[in-house]
Amino acid sequence: MTSASILSPDSIDLLFPFGFSIDSNGRLLTVGSKLSLLLPEALPGAVWTSMLKLERPVVRSAELQLADLDNQLIILQEVNGRFRLRGQLLADGTDRFCFLGSPWIEALSQLENLGLQLNDFALHDATPDVLYAMELQRTMVDDLKVLNDRLLAQRGQLSVANQKLERLSLLASRILSPVIIANASDEIEWVNEAFTQLTGYTLDEVVGRQPSQFLIGPETDRSTLDFINECCIAGRPFSCEIVNYTKERNPYWASLEVHPILDGDRRASGYICLQIDITRRKQAARLDALEITVSRRLAPDPEIEPALNELLPIIAAQLHLAGVYCWRASGSNAELACREHYVDASRFPQELQVDAALRFDKIGYDLSQRILQDPILQSSSLHCGNLLSVIGLPLLVGETLYGMLEIYLDSHSEAGLLQTNFLTRLARSLAQFLSRKQAQWRQAELLSTLRATLEATADGLIIIDSHQRIVGHNQRLIDLWRFSPHFLDLASTDQVCAHILDQLQSPESLLEQVESVERKADSIAEFTIALLDGRVFDVLTHPQRI
């Protein structure tokens, strides 16, 4: 089972209205309500490859295996090239594959040509926001190109060129997105106020410096820097996404659009760079991927301890948490104990680490206040190292408490509405997981009690379900009918009947009784059968409805 199979078809359609699901033969099972607007011929039973073709990753059609595309970024193109879909293909473990994505729209005009509206996209889909940002960015770039062309046309008159540059600076200063103007040596000549607000660097601090001298950091991709340098040397426009750093050395994601300033000989004499802060979008995508990782790990109902010991370090690393503790009960135990945890030893004070023997009654106790209520730790709780706060998230299903997540944040931790919402959803997923495991424990206890009851009786017992499958028996039955030790674990009901009939004086009489029982499925039947060895058994059949 994958994260795709956890959601109902209606939920998938709400979250991914342009998605669809197919079977292992490539035939459509379900089609998103909005995808039908683009592909009216997309009906259940149709072959998806008759309407869409795989653009990326590049795979020969004869070698295409849906399982190879599981959990990959894929791009699908309509066979006539009218539009493309971008998303992810997930397998749910039952020979069904779900495509979760949306149209790849690059301009508002393309949206109109396809007959779509912005409200056709799901609420979480960033496509409308990106389209607005791209449209604004194109408008600004076009304006800057016009100004640049005017500068080239009047380059012979220095005073006019200076006037144009002043106009350009005035326009760029009023643009809400950060703007950098640099010369051919990549030295900054001017930045606007939006750049200062985003990075913390003033114009005086950056004039004459190259952006690579102060904006890059450990998380900046080196191949992206090589690409930027290559384009600047060649004097060609480009766009890319990169991790930059503020004056306080805090990373942020920026979408860059860079255009060269050409002189009369069509050589680059500098460039204009526009930035858009896309940190929030990147964070949302990363948290979505983390949520899928958690769902995929918990979906098969693994053992609790190894699953949480694997997930807690991943969650802590992605959110840069100083530490995370999971308090939960074990089995039917009413006490909460710290069963699993992860701490960054370099950031988490030793004196705050939890004693494994510590226990709390889960009824009426708020673990989020544990540290503040502890007189030993109270004075040093949030003054050790760089700890800033502790968050307690109850693991609730309805009004039933299954445990508590205790999360420690410091100056390196990510904090904000996106992270808070993710942690809330994480607590809900863990609570549902623990609820399922507790139900399994209760079921195991009931089965153990049933087994003990079956073995305690002096009669031979066999339990057959409505599909004529053997689901239970006791050792006395094996002894009475002289079955081999593992025969009933593997045999069908027909094989069991054949074994019994071979030992009877009158097999036909038993078959008549069985037919009578099947005709009167809700009635109790009682009869006697005689064996070839002289033994006589009383037989009682008793229907049970669960």
Side-chain angles (χ1 to χ4, degrees), residues 15 28 34 39 148 162 166 193 217 253 262 264 267 336 338 350 375 402-403 421 470 545-546:
L15 295 173
L28 292 173
K34 300 304 180 181
L39 291 172
N148 182 45
N162 287 334
E166 289 177 1
E193 181 61 27
W253 274 95
L262 303 179
R267 291 181 300 185
L336 292 177
C338 181
Q350 179 69 30
Y402 291 92
N421 290 339
I470 299 171
R545 293 190 180 275
I546 300 177

Side-chain angles (χ1 to χ4, degrees), residues 481 500 504 509-510 527-531 535-539:
W481 288 104
I500 291 175
L504 299 181
S509 176
L510 177 61
F527 53 90
T528 302
I529 56 176
L531 280 67
R535 291 181 297 163
V536 177
F537 290 165
D538 291 327
V539 179

